[in-house]
Amino acid sequence: MSERSLDDVLKRVKDGSLEVDEAKMLLSSFEDIGFAKVDHQREDRTGFPEVVFGEGKTVPHMIDIIRSLKKNTNRVLATRVTEEKAAAIMQEVPDLEYNEAARTLFWRHPDEPVLLYKGYIAVLCAGTSDLPVAEEAAVTAEAFGASVKRMYDVGVAGIHRLFHHLEEIEQATVAITVAGMEGALTSVVGGLISNPIVAVPTSVGYGANFQGLSSLLSMLNACSPGISVMNIDNGFGAGYYATLIHKNHRDTKIEGERG
């Protein structure tokens, strides 16, 4: 726990606005809720709070984890949440926001600023079929306080569409490229800009795409340098890594804000 957070907890105990038992829980490195140990110091160690991977978790488990996180952080993100599961969770935690395309649930404390950094991250999506992965990346970056500019359906089959956005892409701190099929978008963008690229292969494609393996190998073997490649369909990983780059860039700091 940071020194500022510790001082805040102690002051709240002193003025009576926080019970001793609640303070003990806040000062602990994690909260043991039986089936899970919720990491409350993740943000102090890594810069971002713990994120909930919704796939495979039950609705009651998701509700308890989200409630635990809400008590200890100003931003809560859950990924890979189906529409049906999200509806059930939001009956118990109604102040969550669901993004159907990204399959994410998000909550931000009312006092928390929307943006924590100057500048923006560009998210490029090759085709509309890749949009769910691109949206997962975009929502993740936004959840962590970054501004995002979306540039969708700019794949190489109509490469003139990409050039229409080239100036915006060049001015971004970092670009995320999301593509299936042969994954050529990443190499093309890599040869046009000087900023870091985070590439995400998707499982979109026909038989020889091998559920995203062809686009993954294309991105790993790209001739253009300056590219980091995520796992297949891992939009969350791309959004997380891109925001990590963005927040540590010397020109994105907002004076007076943390990070």
Side-chain angles (χ1 to χ4, degrees):
M1 173 173 285
S2 67
E3 185 176 346
R4 185 175 64 178
S5 299
L6 176 60
D7 287 345
D8 180 62
V9 170
L10 294 176
K11 287 176 182 178
R12 289 170 63 190
V13 171
K14 183 179 180 180
D15 65 24
S17 63
L18 186 68
E19 296 293 331
V20 173
D21 287 343
E22 291 180 302
K24 287 180 179 178
M25 186 270 292
L26 291 173
L27 293 173
S28 173
S29 61
F30 63 88
E31 181 182 4
D32 191 339
I33 56 176
F35 59 87
K37 294 178 175 62
V38 185
D39 187 353
H40 291 319
Q41 291 189 4
R42 182 79 60 90
E43 188 169 6
D44 292 327
R45 298 194 313 272
T46 68
F48 299 129
E50 182 175 9
V51 176
V52 186
F53 183 71
E55 198 170 299
K57 290 184 175 65
T58 66
V59 168
H61 285 175
M62 290 280 292
I63 291 170
D64 288 348
I65 293 170
I66 290 171
R67 282 175 171 166
S68 175
L69 287 169
K70 284 181 66 178
K71 290 185 293 185
N72 291 273
T73 185
N74 289 334
R75 296 168 183 264
V76 177
L77 175 67
T79 65
R80 300 300 171 95
V81 183
T82 64
E83 188 173 1
E84 180 181 5
K85 186 180 288 187
I89 294 169
M90 292 173 71
Q91 285 184 346
E92 299 296 324
V93 192
D95 53 354
L96 293 168
E97 178 183 337
Y98 184 64
N99 185 306
E100 183 179 353
R103 294 183 296 164
T104 57
L105 283 168
F106 177 60
W107 171 84
R108 182 177 56 248
H109 191 281
D111 296 333
E112 176 79 347
V114 174
L115 297 179
L116 299 178
Y117 319 105
K118 294 184 291 184
Y120 60 88
I121 295 170
V123 178
L124 285 63
C125 179
T128 308
S129 296
D130 303 306
L131 194 146
V133 178
E135 269 300 293
E136 185 181 53
V139 169
T140 298
E142 289 172 335
F144 291 142
S147 176
V148 172
K149 288 193 177 184
R150 293 163 168 81
M151 301 159 201
Y152 290 174
D153 199 21
V154 292
V156 297
I159 200 167
H160 58 289
R161 301 171 299 181
L162 174 67
F163 296 148
H164 179 74
H165 296 282
L166 189 55
E167 184 176 349
E168 283 185 299
I169 300 168
E170 289 176 326
Q171 292 176 358
T173 307
V174 55
I176 298 173
T177 58
V178 181
M181 300 291 187
E182 83 287 12
L185 176 65
T186 296
S187 292
V188 172
V189 175
L192 294 171
I193 67 172
S194 60
N195 295 327
I197 295 173
V198 182
V200 191
T202 75
S203 53
V204 173
Y206 296 103
N209 172 263
F210 297 112
Q211 293 78 51
L213 183 60
S214 65
S215 48
L216 170 64
L217 293 176
S218 292
M219 293 174 179
L220 288 172
N221 287 284
C223 183
S224 302
I227 298 169
S228 297
V229 184
M230 299 293 109
N231 205 346
I232 298 167
D233 291 337
N234 188 8
F236 162 74
Y240 187 105
Y241 185 54
T243 309
L244 193 62
I245 295 172
H246 186 68
K247 77 186 288 288
N248 286 293
H249 193 281
R250 67 179 185 276
D251 295 329
T252 62
K253 304 291 185 182
I254 294 180
E255 188 174 351
E257 296 290 352
R258 69 175 188 276

